Amino acid sequence: MSTGSNETQLWAADSGAVEFRKLTAGRPFCAGVLLMRDGKVLTTFAADGVDAVDASGTDWYVGGVGGGQEPGEDPWECALREAREELGMPVRLVPAERTFLHDIDTDELRESRTDDAPAPFIVHRVPNPDPTRPYRPGLPFGPYTYFCMFLAEFIEEPTAFAPEDPDIAALVWMPLRTGTLFGPATTFADLTATGAAIAAGGPIAAEARIHLRRSESLRVAGPLLADR
């Protein structure tokens, strides 16, 4: 495993080009895909730490299509696997013309580039509370976890989604500026009034409270996508 100083140098990339394969190799990461249509991005609605079938249905959390690494995966493989599991169909990754780096802890955002292909659209990092403990046995550990989100497209036009992940209550098309829609007591009715629409699963009660965590990639990635 590379030293922490080398990791900092890779993230800073004084040359302007970040080597993401080196940055994420042997380090904790999550990966996912950004699928867009008609000014909306496909999101997941899930409960907090329990299977959707066991949830009360009064509180849901918005998330991207993606998740944590499996042993031996790189971010590209992880993103494709997670998309297949959460959508029930394969997608292909689309190279991003620009890559953004976002430090979740400081909220610093900067534009970068990479020769790794296909290039991710945005990569977040967040400090780990215990840099010596892996998320689960067999996975790497380190001072940061990296969240790599790739642009993607459907290989075939989807007729019906079939999520295999029991955590997912629904797939929902959300406006790209998702982060600006949330207040202290946002309901699903508030979101549907802005154009949010269920793509699969549900139903989601109109009065259900919907939450977007500060660490959720869509809070930052959505507006960047809207401004492309």
Side-chain angles (χ1 to χ4, degrees):
M1 183 176 298
S2 300
T3 65
S5 61
N6 187 41
E7 185 168 353
T8 300
Q9 292 171 3
L10 287 168
W11 177 262
D14 293 337
S15 65
V18 178
E19 297 177 274
F20 287 109
R21 290 189 185 276
K22 286 187 178 180
L23 179 66
T24 56
R27 298 188 176 96
F29 67 80
C30 299
V33 298
L34 297 160
L35 292 152
M36 293 168 290
R37 175 172 294 176
D38 300 327
K40 299 175 183 176
V41 61
L42 192 58
T43 68
T44 62
F45 276 30
D48 189 13
V50 297
D51 288 354
V53 293
D54 298 323
S56 67
T58 59
D59 286 272
W60 300 106
Y61 291 81
V62 179
V65 176
Q69 69 193 110
E70 295 291 342
E73 284 184 328
D74 64 28
W76 291 261
E77 295 165 336
C78 178
L80 290 171
R81 175 186 54 76
E82 287 286 343
R84 186 172 59 252
E85 292 175 357
E86 296 192 353
L87 304 177
M89 63 186 61
V91 301
R92 67 169 61 93
L93 303 183
V94 177
E97 296 178 359
R98 300 180 294 167
T99 296
F100 295 91
L101 302 179
H102 179 234
D103 190 307
I104 293 175
D105 193 40
T106 65
D107 216 27
E108 178 188 3
L109 177 70
R110 63 186 173 92
E111 186 175 332
S112 183
R113 61 185 175 84
T114 183
D115 293 328
D116 294 323
F121 179 72
I122 188 167
V123 177
H124 311 265
R125 73 172 186 178
V126 61
N128 291 324
D130 184 349
T132 66
R133 176 179 296 181
Y135 178 72
R136 69 172 190 267
L139 294 180
F141 54 88
Y144 295 98
T145 294
Y146 297 91
F147 297 81
C148 308
M149 298 300 291
F150 297 86
L151 302 179
E153 61 186 12
F154 298 110
I155 294 176
E156 297 181 357
E157 184 64 20
T159 55
F161 296 107
E164 301 172 10
D165 191 330
D167 294 341
I168 295 176
L171 299 173
V172 180
W173 289 106
M174 291 280 290
L176 287 174
R177 297 191 184 277
T178 291
T180 65
L181 306 178
F182 283 80
T186 302
T187 66
F188 191 56
D190 295 328
L191 298 179
T192 55
T194 69
I198 293 178
I204 302 294
E207 66 275 13
R209 295 181 298 270
I210 312 298
H211 309 276
L212 184 69
R213 294 181 177 88
R214 179 180 176 273
S215 60
E216 174 52 52
S217 176
L218 294 171
R219 187 182 294 278
V220 177
L224 291 173
L225 291 168
D227 292 338
R228 283 198 311 162

